[in-house]
Amino acid sequence: MTTTEQQLTQLATQVGERLQQRGLLLVTAESCTGGWLGQAITAVAGSSAWYDRGFITYSNRAKCEMLHVNRATLEAHGAVSEQTAQEMAFGALKMSCAHVSVSITGIAGPSGGSDIKPIGTICFTWVLKEGLATCETHHFNGDRDAVRSQSVLTALQGILNLLDDMPPLVA
């Protein structure tokens, strides 16, 4: 097992433990990672107790049809934008039974970048059904696999951060 695989397994296990402690379900909405986040999550034995489903919406059409991303958002901001990531995350919540959502959309390369949005530009949104949402844009270096693996690691860490920001459980 590579270091990256070990990190993914460790973070996904921590995410699962934290979600289970709170009785929460997770949904994922992925574009540039193509299901890698869902794979990392389902590699954890027992993840069906805390992972509801994942959406792989690689095309703009899929984002609109499956997650109800507004075409106007895509036209105004592009698929790689915090606005689109946010609509993906909220759409995934709406189309699932989950309480927590994460979305990833970006440019993994080796082509597709621009001066404004270079290769390695990845937008994330993490949402709690109760309304707490965080959007971030990261710029990762490396080849396609490196950008994608860093994206999955960031998505998992972001879920942990979001759960840390939740009010404590009342006993």
Side-chain angles (χ1 to χ4, degrees):
M1 187 179 284
T2 67
T3 302
T4 299
E5 289 171 329
Q6 289 173 336
Q7 290 174 309
L8 288 172
T9 300
Q10 180 181 14
L11 280 174
T13 300
Q14 290 173 354
V15 165
E17 290 169 354
R18 299 284 270 300
L19 289 166
Q20 277 193 289
Q21 288 169 355
R22 293 180 173 272
L24 301 175
L25 289 174
L26 174 67
V27 62
T28 57
E30 301 181 67
S31 185
C32 62
T33 49
W36 195 342
L37 177 57
Q39 189 281 327
I41 289 166
T42 58
V44 177
S47 56
S48 61
W50 50 271
Y51 184 53
D52 182 52
R53 67 191 76 180
F55 295 91
I56 302 171
T57 55
Y58 207 68
S59 70
N60 286 350
R61 181 177 180 177
K63 288 173 182 66
C64 294
E65 290 177 359
M66 295 174 72
L67 300 175
H68 304 284
V69 171
N70 192 319
R71 290 189 193 286
T73 301
L74 291 166
E75 290 168 10
H77 304 283
V80 180
S81 65
E82 289 185 8
Q83 294 85 348
T84 296
Q86 189 169 19
E87 289 188 21
M88 288 171 65
F90 279 103
L93 276 178
K94 182 178 179 181
M95 300 305 295
S96 72
C97 300
H99 311 93
V100 180
S101 175
V102 58
S103 67
I104 307 170
T105 184
I107 306 164
S111 62
S114 67
D115 290 340
I116 297 170
K117 295 178 186 177
I119 293 167
T121 302
I122 311 292
C123 301
F124 301 87
T125 297
W126 298 269
V127 178
L128 289 174
K129 201 165 199 166
E130 291 75 32
L132 182 62
T134 303
C135 299
E136 294 179 2
T137 299
H138 290 251
H139 300 280
F140 298 121
N141 294 315
D143 65 11
R144 182 176 179 79
D145 281 345
V147 168
R148 294 172 74 224
S149 67
Q150 290 172 83
S151 298
V152 174
L153 287 167
T154 299
L156 290 167
Q157 185 60 57
I159 296 165
L160 291 174
N161 296 344
L162 185 71
L163 295 171
D164 285 345
D165 290 343
M166 283 182 73
L169 292 172
V170 178

